[in-house]
Amino acid sequence: MAAIRSVYRITGRINTGSTVVETLNRIADAVVEHAGFGAAVVNYLHPEGVYEAVAIAGSEEARAELLGVRYPAAEFDAHLAAADEWGQLRFLPHERHNDGIQSWIPAAPDGVDGIPEEERWHPLDALFAPLCAPDGSLVGVLSVDLPADGRRPGAFQRELLEMLAAQAGIAINNANLVEALRRERQHLEASEAAFRLAFNGAGTGMCMIGLEGADMTRLVRVNPALCELLGRDEDVLVSMRFGDFIHPDDFERSREVFAGGAGTIRDYEVRCVRGDGETIWISATMSVVAGSPAFAITQMQDITSRKATEADLVRRASRDPLTGLANREAVAEPLAAAIRRARTEQVISALFFCDLDDFKIVNDTLGHDAGDAVLVAVAQRLQSLVRPTDTVARLGGDEFVVLMGNVAAGDLGVLVDRLERAVCAPVTHQGQIMRVRVSVGVAVIDATVEDAGAALRAADRAMYLVKGGRHAGEVTRRVTAFGERSGAQGGMPLLRLARPETAQ
């Protein structure tokens, strides 16, 4: 989750470089700091068709050996063509290492002997991420090395690197545009002809916004890319003010970007409403330009697909992929909320820790497909028993938890019985009828509970008391009474179990 959140932070950071070189260095630093690699090199593609290693982060040895090294584009592209395609990335295993391309070879890391050879990162392995402008043209290539865990990157780390590379390509393109505009202004005193050429030819949506008098926040000039982005003709856009196409829920936030004087650069992300009514996400950079009258130049990029990808990553990071339930990390928040309610409102909740019995027999005799079918069925049954405000999560393996709020101590036995009956019902898979049992331990969430971890540990201990007693033949599966606080370390309430002769 932290890695995903970092994408939001570094997107704005890498777009604020005042020069191409500064932007490239920010990209390299961001990859090392947030993507889990020990070294990163940004090879910038010059207009004359030559790659140059302009920015290097993470290793002074790599910097000393590679900084400023130039490669003809044809040779470097042929090098990439020999690599395996990992989505948008290119992986070149050490068996295909090319001695003809100057490279830095790190020492073999320590502590990797326990990693299987097919998963281990080799010092001669190489991973590249092409950096593309919004129009698809190549602006550079990012290469990374020294993955933090000593393994070849998995799917999640590769997808994170792809997201960073996509934003890096946009940032480099923006920096190229800004530097092009700056050079034109310095050498041609910002002649209208030079500006119009760069402005209208940009693949990124751009506009000039008035900042004084009657033109305040009005679009005074737009380029063809912006017309396409917002789905409106030029004559329509230049009759509008900036807020006219901003989504109503983002309008107040969008007004904040106009604060600040000449030289101010602001990056922001807002939703816009196109001419056809479609809502899109845009990433924009606004630069306030001194002049009479003053105006702002804004660059806009459609990031709707990126937002959808980020939302999907967040969802997958908090959900169990097999059952669709919340995972261990996601259950921490509702548990913490239940603890706060117990302390501030005296609302009692209960945490039911469910561990399947006989599940290993299903896996061993009928296979993992059958085991998965059981897990999915159990998840659906548990979910069907709770209210919308309750939480069902799979912690891993055959362990589930159910968090129910606002429960009475006298109802706990009934609730456990209901959970047991639902889980113990037969499951049919490919003509096979399977049954599993469940051991349920309960922790009561009241004002004495310190944190979510303590609640989980207490429910886990209670579950093992049930499981152990069942195996010893000393207890039934029925919970008959609210139990004693002395039964658990730290005063955590447990449930007393009835012996067979006293069970009802």
Side-chain angles (χ1 to χ4, degrees):
M1 292 292 289
I4 297 172
R5 288 193 293 269
S6 69
V7 175
Y8 292 91
R9 295 193 298 269
I10 65 178
T11 296
R13 175 182 169 189
I14 64 177
N15 273 287
T16 57
S18 59
T19 65
V20 170
V21 172
E22 184 178 351
T23 298
L24 299 178
N25 277 290
R26 292 191 178 197
I27 292 168
D29 290 340
V31 171
V32 170
E33 293 171 11
H34 299 282
F37 294 96
V41 179
V42 182
N43 301 283
Y44 178 72
L45 180 58
H46 290 281
E48 62 270 25
V50 175
Y51 289 97
E52 180 181 0
V54 175
I56 301 174
S59 169
E60 289 301 321
E61 292 181 3
R63 184 190 302 273
E65 187 164 344
L66 295 180
L67 189 63
V69 171
R70 297 166 71 92
Y71 315 89
E75 294 181 14
F76 199 80
D77 291 344
H79 184 56
L80 290 180
D84 297 329
E85 292 186 6
W86 281 4
Q88 300 300 315
L89 307 179
R90 299 294 181 268
F91 174 67
L92 194 66
H94 59 274
E95 295 90 348
R96 280 177 254 155
H97 175 71
N98 184 356
D99 290 328
I101 296 292
Q102 183 173 346
S103 59
W104 170 67
I105 302 174
D110 297 327
V112 298
D113 292 339
I115 301 175
E117 186 174 351
E118 65 273 13
E119 298 178 15
R120 188 185 311 165
W121 182 268
H122 191 279
L124 293 178
D125 284 344
L127 182 59
F128 304 94
L131 308 176
C132 297
D135 63 0
S137 60
L138 196 65
V139 294
V141 174
L142 169 69
S143 62
V144 295
D145 208 330
L146 298 178
D149 59 359
R151 298 175 180 268
R152 292 183 177 180
F156 183 84
Q157 189 177 17
R158 298 201 302 263
E159 192 164 0
L160 178 62
L161 186 61
E162 286 181 341
M163 292 175 60
L164 294 177
Q167 294 308 306
I170 294 171
I172 295 172
N173 182 69
N174 289 343
N176 283 336
L177 290 171
V178 171
E179 285 204 352
L181 291 175
R182 183 184 295 118
R183 286 193 300 268
E184 291 295 338
R185 183 168 184 173
Q186 291 172 346
H187 297 302
L188 302 173
E189 297 181 345
S191 71
E192 178 62 18
F195 175 77
R196 184 182 295 115
L197 179 64
F199 183 86
N200 290 337
T204 301
M206 297 182 69
C207 63
M208 293 176 57
I209 302 174
L211 296 180
E212 293 182 5
D215 285 339
M216 183 67 183
T217 74
R218 187 174 71 84
L219 278 65
V220 297
R221 177 178 287 179
V222 298
N223 72 346
L226 186 65
C227 295
E228 182 178 355
L229 176 66
L230 297 179
R232 294 178 172 89
D233 293 336
E234 180 180 358
D235 58 344
V236 174
L237 284 177
V238 296
S239 68
M240 301 176 71
R241 298 188 183 276
F242 182 75
D244 291 343
F245 53 82
I246 299 298
H247 191 281
D249 293 343
D250 292 349
F251 180 74
E252 288 300 323
R253 183 155 54 94
S254 70
R255 296 176 61 182
E256 300 173 1
V257 303
F258 288 96
T264 301
I265 299 177
R266 290 187 176 272
D267 295 284
Y268 55 97
E269 296 179 355
V270 293
R271 287 167 291 179
C272 294
V273 181
R274 285 171 41 89
D276 58 8
E278 179 188 0
T279 297
I280 62 172
W281 275 96
I282 64 155
S283 174
T285 300
M286 175 181 288
S287 304
V288 178
V289 180
S292 182
F295 64 95
I297 298 177
T298 299
Q299 303 173 61
M300 300 184 189
Q301 175 68 33
D302 187 346
I303 59 169
T304 305
S305 60
R306 192 201 85 194
K307 284 289 187 179
T309 299
E310 290 171 353
D312 183 59
L313 283 173
V314 170
R315 182 191 62 79
R316 283 191 284 160
S318 62
R319 290 281 159 183
D320 172 54
L322 175 63
T323 65
L325 297 179
N327 60 15
R328 179 181 290 272
E329 181 175 310
V331 81
E333 183 175 342
L335 254 179
I339 294 171
R340 287 194 298 271
R341 290 192 67 197
R343 293 175 179 173
T344 60
E345 304 173 31
Q346 290 72 54
V347 174
I348 302 300
S349 302
L351 181 65
F352 300 83
F353 197 112
C354 307
D355 184 270
L356 303 185
D357 300 321
D358 310 322
F359 179 72
K360 186 175 185 299
I361 297 175
V362 173
N363 264 344
D364 290 348
T365 59
L366 300 178
H368 290 282
D369 285 347
D372 288 349
V374 169
L375 294 174
V376 171
V378 169
Q380 294 171 345
R381 292 170 183 177
L382 294 179
Q383 190 72 60
S384 71
L385 297 178
V386 302
R387 299 160 293 187
T389 54
D390 298 330
T391 300
V392 180
R394 180 187 177 206
L395 301 186
D398 59 356
E399 294 180 341
F400 298 81
V401 293
V402 179
L403 176 63
M404 294 187 182
N406 198 14
V407 298
D411 295 335
L412 293 175
V414 174
L415 293 174
V416 170
D417 281 346
R418 190 180 301 167
L419 293 173
E420 289 179 338
R421 286 195 298 271
V423 172
C424 293
V427 177
T428 302
H429 174 70
Q430 295 182 351
Q432 298 286 345
I433 298 177
M434 302 167 288
R435 288 180 181 270
V436 293
R437 298 177 301 162
V438 62
S439 296
V440 183
V442 189
V444 176
I445 310 298
D446 62 12
T448 67
V449 179
E450 296 180 358
D451 53 39
L456 281 168
R457 289 191 296 272
D460 188 30
R461 287 197 298 270
M463 181 275 296
Y464 275 107
L465 287 176
V466 174
K467 186 182 289 287
R470 174 181 298 157
H471 292 166
E474 295 179 355
V475 296
T476 70
R477 285 176 290 153
R478 181 180 299 277
V479 177
T480 60
F482 179 73
E484 304 142 353
R485 296 181 181 278
S486 61
Q489 185 177 2
M492 180 64 64
L494 299 175
L495 298 176
R496 189 189 308 116
L497 304 174
R499 294 182 181 275
E501 62 270 17
T502 62
Q504 301 177 359

